[in-house]
Amino acid sequence: MAAHVIADDAEALEVAASLAAEFRAGASARDAERRLPREELDRLSASGLLAVTVPAEHGGADVSAPTLAEIFRLLASADASLSQIPQSHFAYVNVIRRQGTDEQRKFFFAELLAGRRFGNAQSEAGTKHVQDIRTRLHPGPAGSYVLDGVKHYSTGALFADWIPVLARAEDDKLHVAYVPRDAPGLTVIDDWDGLGQRTTASGTVRLEGVEVPADRVLPHHLTFEGPQLHGAVAQLLHAAIDAGIAGGALAEAAEFVRTKSRPWFESGVETAAEDPLLIQRFGELSIQVRASEALLREAARAVEAARADLTDDSAAEASIAVAAAKVSAARAAVDVASALFEVSGTRSALNSLNLHRHWRDARTHTLHDPTRWKIQHIGRYVLNGTRPPRHGLL
């Protein structure tokens, strides 16, 4: 695949805005039909957006955290499923940046610049908790490894060129094995049937005796042994997706009210858009969306500042800022997507219009990790100066 190489932050934002406008047109139909966005993902790859965090010394744009967050917000405002697919892609690019050898960085960054996609085989179902990873990385012949396990919620794996697999070695430490999508013994099953984010293909990955060369395995456990931004960046992108859903839902609600809703007879106005009670409600919803976007920008700036001077304190500040943005954006996404029906009226509930996709996407995506624990960590930090833990979800 030939891919464009994006030069800088400005070009990245321009490309993202253009693609968002393009993807918005077919988002509802793709969702309603559960039609997987293969062509759209190919456009995303060819655009160069998936390589924008490749370091400059390897030929990439190495865009800032605020730019990356805005890319995801723009894409999510158009299609929440499509924007979710590359979230893990960027998380595992960061693993290579932090833990890869010079040769691993050289190889994989070249793959990214050529338009290759990373998937995700991380989460498992039926275990004690989310960090109870049971997929095993066994020693193989000639210094290689063998993978065995079953993964669920594997967003992006079906469309990937490389699937990063989270596994524990014999010493029980976490590693990431980067496995080709067509590796013998690796099977991707398209069995995702979530009520929202329907076209992420977040299904099952089975690994049965999958051989992995030693130079495709990275020591992920080292990521969490010092100050790190792995969790902050990953969560920043989740927050951006939620903020995008909220903004997209508000925009569609406003368009619906302007063009299709009828005024309530007691309002005494000619159009629904003139109804003072609806005007008030849209003002309230707009404030909620703007607040989520402002906190997202603040969090992205905190991540960027920590990148420039990474210490325990700067990493903690970044994680707390991102946690606050995620809480705000998650609430905005669910609240605004639900209020869409309140302000638009009975007709908006027609299944044929598929306006409920915004709420379904918001409700599904915000289940990714509980905001109640983010609030706990924010409170502990503010009240007692307790730094958030380094477990990758903050």
Side-chain angles (χ1 to χ4, degrees):
M1 176 187 296
H4 174 68
V5 177
I6 288 175
D8 53 28
D9 291 61
E11 184 184 5
L13 291 173
E14 182 180 345
V15 170
S18 176
L19 285 178
E22 179 182 324
F23 295 157
R24 183 175 288 107
S28 178
R30 286 192 297 273
D31 172 88
E33 300 164 14
R34 286 191 184 267
R35 175 158 42 87
L36 298 181
R38 296 184 185 276
E39 292 181 8
E40 289 75 17
L41 280 171
D42 286 344
R43 289 276 295 116
L44 194 61
S45 293
S47 75
L49 274 185
L50 297 184
V52 293
T53 58
V54 170
E57 59 266 31
H58 288 272
D62 199 10
V63 301
S64 68
T67 293
L68 187 62
E70 181 63 4
I71 288 169
F72 271 79
R73 191 196 68 80
L74 287 167
L75 293 175
S77 71
D79 186 333
S81 287
L82 191 53
S83 65
Q84 176 64 35
I85 292 169
Q87 190 274 338
S88 290
H89 168 97
F90 283 99
Y92 285 106
V93 172
N94 279 346
V95 173
I96 294 170
R97 288 188 65 146
R98 186 170 174 90
Q99 301 303 337
T101 65
D102 288 342
E103 284 302 311
Q104 287 169 331
R105 292 189 187 108
K106 181 179 179 181
F107 174 80
F108 279 114
F109 291 154
E111 287 285 281
L112 293 167
L113 290 171
R116 307 287 188 266
R117 294 192 289 263
F118 289 166
N120 155 38
Q122 177 172 285
S123 296
E124 300 178 12
T127 56
K128 186 176 180 180
H129 50 69
V130 71
Q131 293 199 325
D132 181 15
I133 302 297
R134 300 182 184 180
T135 297
R136 307 308 295 189
L137 192 66
H138 308 287
S144 66
Y145 294 92
V146 176
L147 274 171
D148 287 287
V150 180
K151 298 291 189 176
H152 299 271
Y153 312 116
S154 301
T155 302
L158 193 67
F159 316 111
D161 299 289
W162 293 89
I163 300 179
V165 180
L166 197 61
R168 294 193 184 276
E170 286 194 314
D171 59 4
D172 212 38
K173 291 182 178 178
L174 279 177
H175 291 70
V176 178
Y178 289 74
V179 183
R181 168 68 177 81
D182 58 358
L186 186 153
T187 306
V188 181
I189 304 168
D190 181 18
D191 57 357
W192 170 244
D193 66 348
L195 67 88
Q197 293 196 301
R198 289 177 168 180
T199 62
T200 59
S202 300
T204 301
V205 172
R206 295 188 180 277
L207 304 133
E208 299 175 297
V210 178
E211 293 186 16
V212 186
D215 62 357
R216 297 293 178 261
V217 177
L218 280 70
H220 192 32
H221 60 95
L222 296 179
T223 300
F224 309 104
E225 292 188 2
Q228 51 82 33
L229 296 172
H230 179 80
V233 172
Q235 290 294 308
L236 181 70
L237 303 187
H238 282 306
I241 292 168
D242 287 340
I245 293 172
L250 183 63
E252 188 146 11
E255 177 65 15
F256 192 92
V257 169
R258 284 193 297 265
T259 61
K260 296 182 176 64
S261 293
R262 298 181 298 178
W264 184 243
F265 70 96
E266 292 179 286
S267 67
V269 297
E270 291 296 315
T271 67
E274 298 172 285
D275 184 332
L277 298 182
L278 281 181
I279 290 171
Q280 176 75 17
R281 190 69 178 110
F282 270 97
E284 294 167 348
L285 295 173
S286 178
I287 290 169
Q288 197 169 0
V289 171
R290 284 173 176 265
S292 71
E293 293 173 351
L295 283 172
L296 179 68
R297 290 190 294 270
E298 178 185 288
R301 288 193 295 267
V303 169
E304 191 66 15
R307 268 182 72 180
D309 181 21
L310 187 59
T311 65
D312 285 333
D313 287 337
S314 66
E317 285 286 345
S319 288
I320 293 300
V322 171
K326 183 65 171 67
V327 171
S328 176
R331 288 175 174 172
V334 173
D335 291 350
V336 175
S338 177
L340 180 154
F341 303 101
E342 169 197 337
V343 297
S344 300
T346 306
R347 186 181 175 191
S348 64
L350 293 177
N351 193 57
S352 59
L353 295 176
N354 200 26
L355 293 177
H356 48 68
R357 73 185 184 280
H358 299 289
W359 183 86
R360 288 188 288 99
D361 286 339
R363 186 64 283 173
T364 301
H365 183 255
T366 54
L367 298 176
H368 186 275
D369 48 276
T371 56
R372 60 186 178 274
W373 274 99
K374 297 184 188 304
I375 295 170
Q376 277 285 310
H377 291 303
I378 294 169
R380 292 171 184 176
Y381 184 74
V382 170
L383 187 60
N384 299 314
T386 305
R387 295 189 186 111
R390 296 169 176 161
H391 54 42
L393 291 173
L394 277 168

